[in-house]
Amino acid sequence: MSETSNTFKKAPKRKPAKGKSVSVSPEMRQAYADLIRERAEKQETYGRHLPQEETKRR
């Protein structure tokens, strides 16, 4: 049972991983923004046609 003391010790802190940065052309940035906007519009349109949540019965 002497090994249980090591089991519950606090783990050492890890160094945060450095994020990667990618440079893209203004055209690619605009195309990505358009894609996000189209996706948001589709999601909004889809949600509009779903039946509204009714209060749960019982």
Side-chain angles (χ1 to χ4, degrees):
M1 283 307 233
S2 64
E3 302 217 7
T4 56
S5 62
N6 290 336
T7 305
F8 299 107
K9 282 189 177 179
K10 203 175 218 183
K13 295 199 178 227
R14 294 184 181 188
K15 291 183 180 179
K18 191 171 184 179
K20 295 181 181 179
S21 62
V22 179
S23 59
V24 294
S25 67
E27 295 85 15
M28 284 292 292
R29 190 181 306 247
Q30 184 62 40
Y32 189 65
D34 293 341
L35 179 70
I36 292 172
R37 189 179 319 110
E38 286 176 19
R39 232 182 239 173
E41 288 173 1
K42 284 182 184 178
Q43 186 66 27
E44 191 258 331
T45 304
Y46 176 74
R48 189 182 309 149
H49 296 292
L50 290 177
Q52 297 298 322
E53 288 186 28
E54 297 180 15
T55 57
K56 292 186 179 180
R57 296 181 183 152
R58 192 176 146 117

